[in-house]
Amino acid sequence: RDCPTSTPASRRELPNLSGTLHGVPIFMEWNKDFSDNYIRVYGNRFNQTMTDKQAAFIASHIKSHGRIVDIPCGFGRHAEALAAMGFVVHGVDLYNTLEAKKRLKKTSKKVQENVIYEVGDMRMWRGKDYDAVISMFSSFGYFTHAENEKVIENAVASVRVGGIIIIDNRNPAATFNEFAAHNWHKNSATEGEYEEHSVFDPSTHIETISYIVDGKKISASWRHYSIDEFEEMFKKNGCVIKAAYGFYNKEEYSKSSSKRLIIVAEKIK
């Protein structure tokens, strides 16, 4: 398979992954538990129609049969959909690649030939000469600000000049309006039910969410970045924001009312 080069995190010294962010255990402490339950908690929110719409949105910004990094790739739903469209997709994730590989075996020969999965830390992983890097479904902002900036730096370094970076996050205003302060409540899951509690701090744009699954509490905290903050981070790394959308149908982004903030940035130098 003709894939660009990459430098896996496993070949470099990994940072200290212990600690807390805003009083909540981060990454290694919660991510393994969260990843183990990810499909169970979120699986019923995904369907092939929505995934195909998201893949079509991504494809509209990338040249045909281009090379894409999906980081973090989760269990591979976007990678599979894009591969079926003829893109070569390199999926990178710290925990979910095993599940992604299991799913991949059930796909067509075309998809299998166009997808490769690799274990990697998005704060460390860096490729070269890809046409695009994508980060979908609110997968950005889980670390300290300096580490989040490093994720942007690595993404930009992984694409060629003229390459695209797409980051799909919830819009901070929508998060505040919908999740400012939720008491514990039950949600349906792919297998049974789970309890959820979400709090959003509008002064810091930090959301803290906790789940109770089979009696075990799992918590995570992350920062929702504004379009102005994204613009500043991309500018520091030689990129410009080409477009910002409020949803996958390319509706115009509104700071006050859009459900999502989908950034499309281009590397110009």
Side-chain angles (χ1 to χ4, degrees), residues 59-68 85-88 131 160:
S60 70
H61 293 284
I62 306 169
K63 71 175 185 179
S64 298
H65 306 292
R67 297 161 172 172
I68 301 172
M85 299 168 70
F87 293 96
V88 174
D131 296 297
R160 59 176 175 79

Side-chain angles (χ1 to χ4, degrees), residues 215-232:
K216 183 173 184 177
K217 184 177 179 181
I218 306 167
S219 295
S221 183
W222 64 94
R223 176 176 172 178
H224 293 263
Y225 282 83
S226 69
I227 188 171
D228 296 327
E229 290 171 318
F230 273 118
E231 186 173 28
E232 180 180 351

